[in-house]
Amino acid sequence: MSLATDLIGEPIGADALSDLRSAVGERWVRTDPHVLDSYAAQPFHKVEVGVWIHRPIAVVMPGDATEVAAVVKACNRHHLRFKAFSTGWGAHAGAGFDNVVQIDLRRMNRILELDIENRTIVVEPYVTCAQIQAEVMRHGLNLHIHGAGSNCSPLANATSHMGMGFSSISMGYSPRNLMGIEWILPTGELVQVGSFATGAGWVSPDGPGPSLRGAIRGFAGADGGIGVFTRVGLKLYPWSGPAEIEVSGGSFRGMQVEIPPLNGSFMCIFSNLEDYGDALYDIGYAGIGYAQFKAATGLGLAIGEPELFRRIRDEPGFREQVRAFENQFIVIIGGHTQEHFDYEVAVLGDIVSEHNGTMNSTDGLMATGRGGLWWAVIRNSIAPGMFRPTGNFYSSMGGDEAIANALRQATVGEELKEGFIAEGSCADDLVDNAHTLLYENGLYAHTEELVLYDHRDREQNRKLKGLSDTVMHSIVERTLGGGGFSFFAGAYAHEVLGPHMENYHLWQRRLKSALDPEDLSDSKYFINSEGVEAAGHG
Amino acid sequence: MSLESYRCDMEGCSRCSSCKWIPLAQIRSQRWSQVCPSVWHNDFHAYSGSGKLNVALSILDGRSDFDESAADIFYACTMCGGCDVGCKVYRNDIDLTDTFHEARARAVELGFARLEHLQLVENMRAENNVFGLPRDERADWAADTSLLDANSEQVDILFHVGCRFSYDESQRDDLLAAVEILRTTGKRVGTSGTAEACCGQRAYECGFDSELHNFGDDMVNRVRTSGASMVAVACSDCFGAFNYLYPRNGKDLGVPVRHISEIAAELAADGSLVGAFSTPNATAAARPRVVTYHDPCHLGRRGEDYAGEFDGPKIDRPDNTRRDGRGGRYDAPRDVLKSLPGVTFVEMQRVREFSWCCGAGGGCAEGSESFSIAVATERLEEALSTGADTLATSCPWCVTNFTSAREQMRADGDHREIEIIGISELAARQISGEVPVTITTTATTCEEAAT
Amino acid sequence: MTTPPIPTTTPTDVVTVAAGVDLGNHIRQAVSEGYGLVARSSTGQARHGRGTVSGGARLLDLSALRRVPLLSARERVAIVEAGVTYRQLQPLLDAEGLRLCHPLLPPAGKSVVASLMDREPPMAPRHHWDFTDPMLCAELWFGTGDRFRTGSAAGPGATLEEQWRAGMFQKNPLGPAQTDLAKLAQGAQGSLGFATWTSVRLELRPEIRADLRICCEDLSRIAGFVAAITRRRLGEEILIMDRCQLTRIAEALGVSAGEATHRWSLLLTVGSLPRRPEESMAMQLRQIEELAAAAGLPLEHLAGTADQELMMAVTSLPELPAKIEDWKLAATGGCRELAFLTTLDRALPLVDHVRSRWLGLGIGEGSIGTYLQPLNQGRTCHVELSAFVAPAEASTLDDTTAVLVEELIDAGAFFSRPVGAAIAPTFARCGDVVRTLHKVKAVLDPHGVLNPGALCFDPAIAAAAFEEVSSS
Ligand SMILES: Cc1cc2nc3c(=O)[nH]c(=O)nc-3n(C[C@H](O)[C@H](O)[C@H](O)COP(=O)(O)OP(=O)(O)OC[C@H]3O[C@@H](n4cnc5c(N)ncnc54)[C@H](O)[C@@H]3O)c2cc1C
Ligand code: SF4
Ligand code: SF4
């Protein structure tokens, strides 16, 4: 792969087109090549070379769940694959094959219910994290925003992708925040999961009986491979700041905000990995923190201050000085009362000094102004900046387990990346790029090894596949916490990882076949039904 | 430049969709979070800033043809630059509207220009104004103003009036108030009279580059002849053209360009703005108003100072040579409004560099009327949501479009009241106690005049 | 229609499973000989409707699996085998300064794994992040005889020991990969997989504890207060009971029922945090006091009062008096319960509805106990009404349960873990779920040997669900 003109299938047949049009109305079906290609340009999250993925055969925009079901049924009638997305960022959101009907859920953008007392919200796919946050902050509430940023759909993340984010320490992992799901099966049947099932009028995720949450996703989501999700309940969490934040000076770089009372943001730096790791454990035990993450030094600089970053990278002395800061993380404290805030800050201070660290304000980091980084983290308005330094990035590892394992992943990750940089598979980012964060008061932790590259540099792009394979094999050989992001490499990854992980791939495939006997819910990033044994599974 | 020269920008798009929203850090509600009128109205991704890059790349890669349907997508856009601002919060290597401009230029080359745009260019060629109204009537409005004739007299300030202000009687009060403001500077103020011509901006935005060049050369000459040390404008389109497009296209006016709001703000700061409009009759107290302000794209994000081109791979381009909108003129008009008696100033949520567009730009007012009005209506909704009774702005094109949208709303049975007014006129009214500045009160829009 | 076969032979014997690894053989044998299996991990008399055999099947007794292969204070995690009871685990945890959040007064022989697989409601909403908690990973056996370890226990790392060496402690509850078979098996009453062990998240045992109580007639005020404290994650155990429920517990445990004169008692324990314990205690208590005062609720500190004993008994795992296996069955031997989920602010009309129906059936005022358990950091509430009646009376209740469940569902109750007579009316409302679960069952238990006929795998329920779709 791939010539720019590859990956273009046959035009859609007249019958199928007319069926899709009756499902959603003529205005909401497009088949003109320009519109189709705007869904086929997805350079992120793909190891193949170039910008283009498969051009969908049609794009449809249903307005509600009934229309989604009608689209899926039409696809079943015409034996067309389909792929839904919410905000649609990445190759995993687009067509994985020829002849895929892309379901763009943009019209389903309603906040359906907000239950302030019980801290839950019900939303459709095209409601973004930033929108929800803005709406609920005025009620003293907040939501977990996954690392991809507040431009993204929390429904997509919680039902279908991953779920870690800066606020994981106090708000967990996205799928664990699901409180009910409306699900269009790959066959077109509409299923209400959790308390939606019996129309309770409030939300709870599991039952009656077994939880179908288990069929829609695991640690990773099915990335569109198991039907379409049209409505979810989500948990909300407390917010002790004001209803709105006044922003000045810029929207990222130079951004300044007044950090409100009861809130604070601290960078904790340690002199070695052991102290850093022990401090993470202690923060977990202490039960403190509203948000927490390790901002990789090189990447942080590259996003905020690319010019400075380039200077540092290219000057050996300077480079080593900066790398000396690599054992650091940021903790954001949000108190319910002044006493609570003071308590958490004091405890953080205790922990940092017990481990010989230092604790500083985060003002000015990543080229933000006073208070800017704090707000960038709370709003999670950082993520698109990942593309600033080199135009693209790739994430690896991320099998989440004990902090001890997260630290091993970071160490192995650095080791591997030294090699990748040397062979030109990715950009030199000072190597320290493991992004680490805690979940649920430190019960377990996340590490991902990010690499920066430019897909426009075809040579570098070509090497990405090799890099991704090397990491995947290392996960198995060095027991690095699970498949993490490798799952999204699709069928091949499952064949590599499955045998080392309880043959999960066989079960995943059987479930897929049971729920999607025709294999129509685009399974490129999930699992296809090929190779399923006959009933009874031999 | 050519479309090809933006390939790297097109290929660089990560599809993060920041071009669809106001900057993430600035979102305060779901309702007012979108920034791109094109994708807001047309929904499919192709219409977003990112989508237009994708379409252009598809064409360059030979995956699709540059045909009528591609042109439709490029023209369904107000060229407001909201996408550029959203993108450049994060990216230094992508220039959206510049790419769209090249796509439109290609559309023109290939014969896909909109009929309405061809008409506009035709008008400009024939009569030096976008409406095709007689060029010798261009200065009629100024008959009683005793402004200097900058063609024959040396002036300090050359006031470039612009097509809409010159011909649109309905905005005469705003124009005359602007003149009063200019006079209050104590400088010698003149115009080019009937020799004044269009700035060329509206044609350029539609993909007709040569108009900008031709009118640009003419403007450069007139400025030189006038001896002015400053060009003043009251129209934001003209401001954007002179301040950004001209230098980018090698047209050096040789003197700074100032918008009337900047001049008024300075006067307000030293207390002399009041002098512009205090009349012996000004006995009535200023009418209490709740005013909100609409940032015209071309005074704001599209009007910032041109900072030159970066000579190197764009991925290494520093911030200060990008067009990220932050250098637009945002504070001056607000300072003026806040200084006015009787005014309680309230902000909308989409302001400054991430303002929502009025819908008139990019040839949409001419070529895609219903889209253009829908965009303006959306802005009126936002203005109304603040509780404002007055929507002030500093561009006659915005005023026109908002006024049309309000008329449409009325026709549709929506009678919520909001007064739409230019900032100079508002200053005059508040300071003078509502004494009209105008000489003629019968308002004929230029569209009416042209038909 | 995809429905699992119902085995034809009907043994009723009991086989004790000596080691988890034997389970595969037991299942394969059942498949080849065509009989069903039911697993039981707890010992003692089961509460009505739970752990019972729905059709003829061999009972696999897992209660002999009593090892605790992992207990780590650093990682705050343990692995417990299916037969380990709460009371067996408690001293081991005490020794490490740890605790496991558990449900209200589990019976003496209650298996931790059984309780977790049934998503029983734990009493400390603060630590209840998700409904699967405190369960993390599980070792499951499917109806094919295959073993499957879920979450990060799946690997990589072929053995637990290998995983421990690599710093993996079976802590990530999700997956592996893109499905979550543990979530399917949980709440399935053994119909989609048997668990031989699960890992559990543990909490650090607070050094200092305070026992607080609020007595009040008005549940809505209590609900507002609970919403306020759970929003801030204040309090460890938080539970609400009515007078009858408290009295019955006190009687069964042989402790004083205290002076509760109001209808509702909110029992609230507060624990110090691991760092700066005194300071943390004062900080939490001050917030609780302020919030109670703001709600106009009388907050009582029970330290040193006669009522503290009952409070301690209810919120921990007290020694049960001799011969008492389960406090619920202590007095009459025939308790019936109706349990469902709602939100605390929606609970009262549902509670009153059940009470009025039961009172109408002649159940005495003093025999109907109500227990409200905030869950999921306070977002949801488990409602449990108990009729402490003699076995004969109990069957009268059973006859009316189905209608009552329907009424409750109409009024917004959600039977997330339906048992007994609640099963049919609940699944009748969600043919979509039933049909989907049948597809899942066909994968995880293709021969239908796991608890045949349980839940929506009851042939009558299945028939109705598939009928619904064929007629639509
Ligand atoms: C810079 C960056 C950082 C990131 N960091 C993180 C991180 O820290 N944590 C994390 O969890 N993820 C992270 N991601 C991944 C991110 O979650 C995905 O890229 C995601 O696709 C972006 O979200 P989205 O809202 O655009 O979802 P979409 O692109 O809309 O969808 C995501 C996937 O879900 C499927 N999908 C979406 N909606 C539906 C639906 N309604 N029904 C069925 N399937 C659906 C899509 O097909 C797609 O496969 C990161 C991505 C980026 C670009
Ligand atoms: S903001 Fe820029 S990078 Fe992001 S989708 Fe839009 S054009 Fe592409
Ligand atoms: S210029 Fe304005 S209308 Fe056009 S794509 Fe950009 S934001 Fe949308």
Side-chain angles (χ1 to χ4, degrees):
Chain A
M1 226 181 283
S2 79
L3 284 175
T5 45
D6 281 353
L7 312 174
I8 299 176
E10 295 296 309
I12 191 166
D15 289 353
L17 182 60
S18 121
D19 250 15
L20 290 175
R21 284 179 173 157
S22 23
V24 293
E26 184 153 352
R27 175 176 170 200
W28 301 111
V29 183
R30 294 291 289 261
T31 56
D32 32 333
H34 303 104
V35 170
L36 297 183
D37 262 357
S38 72
Y39 290 82
Q42 288 279 20
F44 170 61
H45 218 210
K46 95 195 240 275
V47 291
E48 297 91 351
V49 177
V51 167
W52 301 107
I53 58 170
H54 292 266
R55 177 190 278 180
I57 194 165
V59 182
V60 298
M61 247 186 226
D64 58 27
T66 314
E67 289 188 5
V68 174
V71 167
V72 170
K73 284 183 181 148
C75 290
N76 272 267
R77 274 194 297 279
H78 298 282
H79 210 78
L80 292 172
R81 284 195 167 98
F82 59 88
K83 172 86 157 190
F85 76 58
S86 300
T87 37
W89 190 6
H92 53 293
F97 305 89
D98 283 343
N99 302 333
V100 172
V101 173
Q102 177 94 61
I103 305 175
D104 180 344
L105 296 165
R106 180 182 158 89
R107 286 172 69 212
M108 297 180 66
N109 61 357
R110 283 159 292 213
I111 295 177
L112 298 167
E113 286 155 39
L114 170 59
D115 183 342
I116 297 164
E117 173 112 337
N118 298 299
R119 280 166 281 137
T120 57
I121 192 163
V122 179
V123 295
E124 291 187 325
Y126 197 68
V127 181
T128 68
C129 295
Q131 293 175 329
I132 297 177
Q133 189 183 60
E135 295 295 335
V136 303
M137 272 184 168
R138 59 181 78 123
H139 303 289
L141 294 170
N142 197 358
L143 84 160
H144 172 57
I145 301 182
H146 59 286
S150 53
N151 44 334
C152 293
S153 152
L155 175 147
N157 190 252
T159 60
S160 306
H161 197 67
M162 301 293 272
M164 59 289 296
F166 303 137
S167 48
S168 283
I169 191 171
S170 70
M171 308 188 201
Y173 188 64
S174 298
R176 285 170 61 81
N177 285 324
L178 277 171
M179 296 288 278
I181 304 156
E182 183 175 76
W183 177 22
I184 312 293
L185 294 187
T187 48
E189 183 172 8
L190 195 150
V191 180
Q192 305 283 1
V193 178
S195 58
F196 289 158
T198 59
W202 52 274
V203 289
S204 184
D206 300 320
S211 178
L212 282 171
R213 267 203 290 171
I216 67 151
R217 71 165 288 164
F219 173 63
D223 265 329
I226 198 78
V228 186
F229 306 103
T230 46
R231 177 173 69 131
V232 291
L234 295 170
K235 284 176 203 164
L236 299 174
Y237 290 85
W239 162 245
S240 58
E244 286 183 8
I245 295 290
E246 232 15 91
V247 177
S248 61
S251 297
F252 181 53
R253 286 202 264 187
M255 177 163 73
Q256 288 190 16
V257 307
E258 205 56 60
I259 299 184
L262 310 182
N263 289 272
S265 177
F266 306 94
M267 181 176 223
C268 310
I269 306 174
F270 303 87
S271 54
N272 59 59
L273 189 67
E274 201 181 353
D275 278 331
Y276 160 90
D278 287 345
L280 284 177
Y281 270 98
D282 278 347
I283 284 172
Y285 302 145
I288 60 167
Y290 191 69
Q292 177 278 337
F293 65 105
K294 180 201 158 158
T297 25
L299 184 62
L301 264 172
I303 292 176
E305 315 215 38
E307 297 129 69
L308 178 63
F309 168 76
R310 280 188 281 274
R311 282 219 321 274
I312 291 170
R313 187 189 57 196
D314 300 336
E315 278 180 37
F318 211 176
R319 181 187 174 94
E320 286 319 304
Q321 270 173 21
V322 171
R323 279 208 60 179
F325 291 104
E326 76 173 290
N327 295 305
Q328 45 75 14
F329 50 74
I330 286 168
V331 179
I332 285 182
I333 306 277
H336 302 300
T337 59
Q338 189 61 43
E339 190 183 13
H340 178 222
F341 174 74
D342 294 342
Y343 169 81
E344 292 213 356
V345 174
V347 168
L348 180 62
D350 293 348
I351 293 170
V352 171
S353 67
E354 277 167 34
H355 298 289
N356 309 311
T358 56
M359 191 167 138
N360 306 292
S361 152
T362 59
D363 286 356
L365 285 180
M366 293 170 94
T368 57
R370 192 166 43 86
L373 190 77
W374 169 81
W375 179 235
V377 171
I378 296 284
R379 175 51 59 93
N380 194 350
S381 59
I382 299 174
M386 292 286 298
F387 297 85
R388 189 193 319 259
T390 58
N392 212 334
F393 80 100
Y394 181 76
S395 200
S396 63
M397 300 203 177
D400 296 348
E401 246 291 339
I403 294 169
N405 194 269
L407 300 179
R408 284 192 60 238
Q409 290 185 43
T411 311
V412 174
E414 281 195 21
E415 207 181 285
L416 292 173
K417 196 152 64 174
E418 297 271 8
F420 299 146
I421 293 171
E423 71 193 22
S425 302
C426 62
D428 181 358
D429 56 5
L430 309 188
V431 183
D432 162 35
N433 254 352
H435 170 63
T436 299
L437 50 82
L438 301 180
Y439 296 106
E440 300 183 8
N441 291 150
L443 183 76
Y444 55 118
H446 171 73
T447 283
E448 62 188 281
E449 193 60 47
L450 302 158
V451 299
L452 297 176
Y453 76 106
D454 192 342
H455 59 272
R456 292 166 294 195
D457 174 345
R458 293 289 189 261
E459 192 45 39
Q460 202 170 53
N461 197 166
R462 245 183 287 282
K463 289 179 175 165
L464 189 67
K465 176 89 172 67
L467 182 157
S468 138
D469 286 357
T470 308
V471 179
M472 199 191 314
H473 286 281
S474 305
I475 287 170
V476 172
E477 285 152 19
R478 303 174 76 167
T479 320
L480 297 175
F485 295 101
S486 301
F487 297 130
F488 302 117
Y492 166 66
H494 296 311
E495 296 307 319
V496 173
L497 297 167
H500 299 277
M501 296 174 69
E502 298 286 281
N503 282 323
Y504 77 78
H505 58 310
L506 303 180
W507 294 101
Q508 190 168 312
R509 185 172 287 145
R510 286 166 195 152
L511 267 180
K512 163 80 174 171
S513 323
L515 295 167
D516 186 8
E518 304 292 323
D519 192 10
L520 294 181
S521 195
D522 185 335
S523 49
K524 162 136 190 209
Y525 288 84
F526 186 43
I527 199 159
N528 60 25
S529 47
E530 283 157 32
V532 185
E533 305 85 333
H537 314 306
Chain B
M1 294 302 233
S2 63
L3 195 54
E4 282 74 9
S5 59
Y6 290 94
R7 169 182 278 280
C8 200
D9 306 49
M10 299 168 201
E11 287 193 340
C13 166
S14 80
R15 212 198 176 289
C16 68
S17 291
S18 301
C19 48
K20 293 173 185 162
W21 309 109
I22 66 171
L24 298 175
Q26 309 279 3
I27 291 175
R28 288 162 188 246
S29 69
Q30 182 184 35
R31 179 68 182 86
W32 313 117
S33 52
Q34 298 202 48
V35 81
C36 171
S38 183
V39 76
W40 167 79
H41 191 72
N42 298 292
D43 287 286
F44 287 89
H45 182 72
Y47 294 87
S48 67
S50 158
K52 293 188 179 85
L53 296 182
N54 305 153
V55 173
L57 184 62
S58 169
I59 292 166
L60 289 190
D61 276 353
R63 295 167 59 92
S64 57
D65 297 328
F66 203 132
D67 56 13
E68 195 68 40
S69 108
D72 280 347
I73 292 169
F74 291 122
Y75 283 120
C77 166
T78 62
M79 294 291 278
C80 69
C83 51
D84 251 328
V85 168
C87 187
K88 288 198 176 80
V89 172
Y90 304 107
R91 299 297 292 262
N92 295 20
D93 57 339
I94 298 178
D95 289 314
L96 286 129
T97 34
D98 292 343
T99 310
F100 309 159
H101 175 76
E102 294 307 330
R104 286 173 169 222
R106 177 71 55 89
V108 169
E109 242 170 73
L110 296 174
F112 297 118
R114 292 281 162 275
L115 282 179
E116 297 84 350
H117 297 170
L118 289 169
Q119 181 63 55
L120 176 134
V121 171
E122 198 45 51
N123 292 342
M124 287 163 73
R125 287 177 187 159
E127 299 291 348
N128 283 349
N129 68 75
V130 295
F131 308 109
L133 292 166
R135 61 170 82 193
D136 52 10
E137 293 174 12
R138 188 171 184 109
D140 287 3
W141 68 273
D144 300 325
T145 60
S146 63
L147 285 164
L148 300 176
D149 177 359
N151 303 307
S152 54
E153 294 168 275
Q154 292 292 291
V155 298
D156 300 319
I157 299 178
L158 173 63
F159 179 38
H160 177 90
V161 184
C163 303
R164 180 156 291 278
F165 268 137
S166 297
Y167 291 99
D168 192 339
E169 288 184 13
S170 70
Q171 303 204 41
R172 195 59 38 93
D173 276 4
D174 196 23
L175 172 61
L176 294 174
V179 170
E180 291 310 316
I181 291 169
L182 289 174
R183 274 198 228 280
T184 310
T185 60
K187 303 264 170 59
R188 286 173 303 154
V189 182
T191 69
S192 304
T194 53
E196 182 183 291
C198 178
C199 63
Q201 187 266 5
R202 294 189 84 75
Y204 183 83
E205 298 261 288
C206 295
F208 297 87
D209 291 16
S210 55
E211 268 49 49
L212 186 92
H213 285 275
N214 298 342
F215 287 113
D217 291 338
D218 180 46
M219 177 69 186
V220 169
N221 287 335
R222 277 185 283 111
V223 174
R224 283 204 191 119
T225 314
S226 72
S229 57
M230 176 207 295
V231 170
V233 293
C235 170
S236 293
D237 271 15
C238 303
F239 180 82
F242 298 153
N243 203 46
Y244 186 88
L245 291 181
Y246 276 30
R248 183 161 192 261
N249 287 280
K251 310 288 164 217
D252 182 5
L253 295 182
V255 298
V257 182
R258 320 245 16 231
H259 186 265
I260 195 69
S261 60
E262 296 178 277
I263 296 166
E266 271 164 23
L267 296 175
D270 69 18
S272 48
L273 183 62
V274 177
F277 304 110
S278 314
T279 63
N281 301 340
T283 47
R287 182 182 132 192
R289 292 174 185 263
V290 181
V291 179
T292 192
Y293 175 72
H294 167 78
D295 289 284
C297 302
H298 293 271
L299 180 61
R301 58 188 168 227
R302 307 277 290 155
E304 62 188 346
D305 301 346
Y306 176 65
E309 301 295 319
F310 175 66
D311 188 19
K314 265 192 189 167
I315 195 90
D316 295 340
R317 181 167 67 165
D319 273 17
N320 57 10
T321 49
R322 308 176 313 162
R323 189 184 194 187
D324 66 7
R326 283 162 63 185
R329 307 302 193 257
Y330 305 113
D331 291 327
R334 287 173 171 75
D335 290 346
V336 172
L337 292 173
K338 288 176 191 165
S339 78
L340 298 179
V343 166
T344 304
F345 182 70
V346 290
E347 286 280 21
M348 291 184 271
Q349 291 186 9
R350 296 179 287 190
V351 290
R352 304 174 73 91
E353 75 269 23
F354 48 91
S355 176
W356 182 255
C357 169
C358 78
C364 291
E366 295 82 5
S368 320
E369 204 187 335
S370 66
F371 167 51
S372 180
I373 295 300
V375 176
T377 309
E378 169 74 354
R379 189 58 161 174
L380 290 185
E381 289 289 353
E382 187 175 0
L384 284 161
S385 78
T386 65
D389 53 33
T390 305
L391 171 62
T393 188
S394 33
C395 175
W397 294 93
C398 300
V399 168
T400 306
N401 225 39
F402 289 140
T403 306
S404 308
R406 191 186 49 192
E407 273 157 23
Q408 185 62 54
M409 284 167 77
R410 284 183 184 152
D412 294 341
D414 181 346
H415 294 288
R416 285 173 296 168
E417 271 310 322
I418 188 153
E419 186 174 356
I420 296 149
I421 190 165
I423 190 166
S424 308
E425 182 183 350
L426 183 64
R429 282 180 185 273
Q430 293 308 103
I431 294 169
S432 71
E434 299 286 336
V435 175
V437 198
T438 191
I439 301 155
T440 156
T441 49
T442 49
T444 314
T445 64
C446 359
E447 283 78 4
E448 284 161 356
T451 49
Chain C
M1 148 165 152
T2 341
T3 54
I6 295 287
T8 44
T9 50
T10 57
T12 50
D13 56 345
V14 178
V15 172
T16 302
V17 177
V21 288
D22 298 344
L23 220 60
N25 288 335
H26 286 298
I27 295 171
R28 279 187 284 273
Q29 189 179 349
V31 170
S32 71
E33 295 179 22
Y35 58 82
L37 294 170
V38 173
R40 179 130 202 257
S41 308
S42 304
T43 57
Q45 187 186 347
R47 284 183 190 168
H48 176 72
R50 298 211 172 264
T52 48
V53 182
S54 311
R58 165 172 286 169
L59 190 97
L60 294 180
D61 181 358
L62 306 180
S63 65
L65 306 177
R66 293 175 73 88
R67 291 187 318 128
V68 179
L70 170 71
L71 174 55
S72 166
R74 180 163 169 87
E75 298 297 347
R76 291 176 284 164
V77 68
I79 292 181
V80 289
E81 287 192 342
V84 174
T85 64
Y86 282 106
R87 284 182 174 73
Q88 180 199 342
L89 187 60
Q90 181 89 345
L92 304 179
L93 300 179
D94 281 345
E96 298 287 335
L98 298 166
R99 69 195 206 99
L100 170 65
C101 295
H102 58 78
L104 171 70
L105 294 171
K110 186 71 193 187
S111 138
V112 173
V113 169
S115 167
L116 295 175
M117 289 299 288
D118 197 22
R119 295 199 303 262
E120 283 196 350
M123 287 183 292
R126 166 184 168 82
H127 303 296
H128 196 234
W129 296 79
D130 195 3
F131 282 85
T132 52
D133 288 344
M135 184 175 118
L136 297 172
C137 307
E139 179 179 80
L140 299 177
W141 298 83
F142 297 133
T144 51
D146 291 303
R147 185 199 81 180
F148 191 82
R149 290 180 176 168
T150 69
S152 56
T159 62
L160 292 179
E161 290 75 11
E162 202 181 309
Q163 293 182 7
W164 297 337
R165 279 195 298 275
M168 292 174 65
F169 293 93
Q170 298 76 48
K171 295 179 100 176
N172 187 333
L174 295 122
Q178 293 160 294
T179 49
D180 199 337
L181 304 184
K183 279 209 185 67
L184 290 165
Q186 232 181 347
Q189 298 186 2
S191 61
L192 295 177
F194 296 155
T196 38
W197 56 252
T198 70
S199 56
V200 288
R201 65 189 298 160
L202 302 172
E203 309 303 331
L204 302 181
R205 180 173 289 283
E207 267 176 43
I208 312 170
R209 154 183 178 133
D211 294 307
L212 308 175
R213 184 175 66 186
I214 287 174
C215 296
C216 174
E217 286 303 315
D218 181 357
L219 185 60
S220 71
R221 279 164 65 202
I222 291 188
F225 171 70
V226 169
I229 59 171
T230 53
R231 172 190 274 244
R232 298 184 184 184
R233 289 186 71 209
L234 291 166
E236 294 288 326
E237 283 79 14
I238 303 175
L239 52 156
I240 301 152
M241 292 180 176
D242 68 359
R243 234 179 343 251
C244 167
Q245 176 94 356
L246 265 179
T247 311
R248 291 291 175 152
I249 292 176
E251 282 167 9
L253 301 183
V255 297
S256 153
E259 314 251 308
T261 49
H262 294 79
R263 180 174 175 191
W264 299 105
S265 295
L266 166 72
L267 308 183
L268 165 62
T269 70
V270 182
S272 59
L273 303 176
R275 294 262 169 177
R276 301 178 177 234
E278 284 85 11
E279 201 179 319
S280 76
M281 207 55 196
M283 178 260 293
Q284 295 179 81
L285 286 173
R286 218 175 329 267
Q287 291 184 61
I288 290 170
E289 281 158 6
E290 279 169 17
L291 292 168
L297 289 167
L299 183 70
E300 300 168 71
H301 289 254
L302 298 186
T305 70
D307 294 349
Q308 193 178 19
E309 191 188 3
L310 176 62
M311 174 82 172
M312 300 280 272
V314 167
T315 54
S316 57
L317 290 168
E319 278 303 314
L320 293 171
K323 297 205 190 121
I324 294 194
E325 285 259 355
D326 183 354
W327 72 272
K328 269 207 169 174
L329 304 174
T332 62
C335 178
R336 283 292 183 270
E337 63 180 38
L338 202 55
F340 52 84
L341 295 180
T342 180
T343 58
L344 188 49
D345 57 344
R346 291 176 172 91
L348 189 61
L350 301 171
V351 168
D352 285 346
H353 184 72
V354 178
R355 286 173 55 83
S356 79
R357 284 281 183 270
W358 282 357
L359 291 171
L361 291 169
I363 310 296
E365 181 82 53
S367 298
I368 305 174
T370 310
Y371 161 44
L372 304 174
Q373 179 58 63
L375 294 173
N376 202 225
Q377 300 180 339
R379 293 180 185 85
T380 312
C381 180
H382 163 84
V383 179
E384 186 177 312
L385 284 123
S386 305
F388 300 98
V389 290
E393 269 181 293
S395 54
T396 327
L397 288 186
D398 293 345
D399 297 341
T400 59
T401 301
V403 174
L404 183 51
V405 167
E406 293 207 24
E407 291 167 352
L408 289 168
I409 293 175
D410 286 339
F414 176 49
F415 287 79
S416 72
R417 307 156 50 234
V419 290
I423 292 175
T426 299
F427 283 108
R429 297 297 178 100
C430 49
D432 53 344
V433 171
V434 175
R435 291 185 291 274
T436 311
L437 285 174
H438 276 255
K439 293 177 187 168
V440 172
K441 174 93 170 166
V443 170
L444 301 182
D445 182 21
H447 314 288
V449 295
L450 305 182
N451 201 353
L455 286 171
C456 62
F457 306 118
D458 177 306
I461 293 173
F466 285 95
E467 170 71 18
E468 175 186 300
V469 76
S470 63
S471 63
S472 70

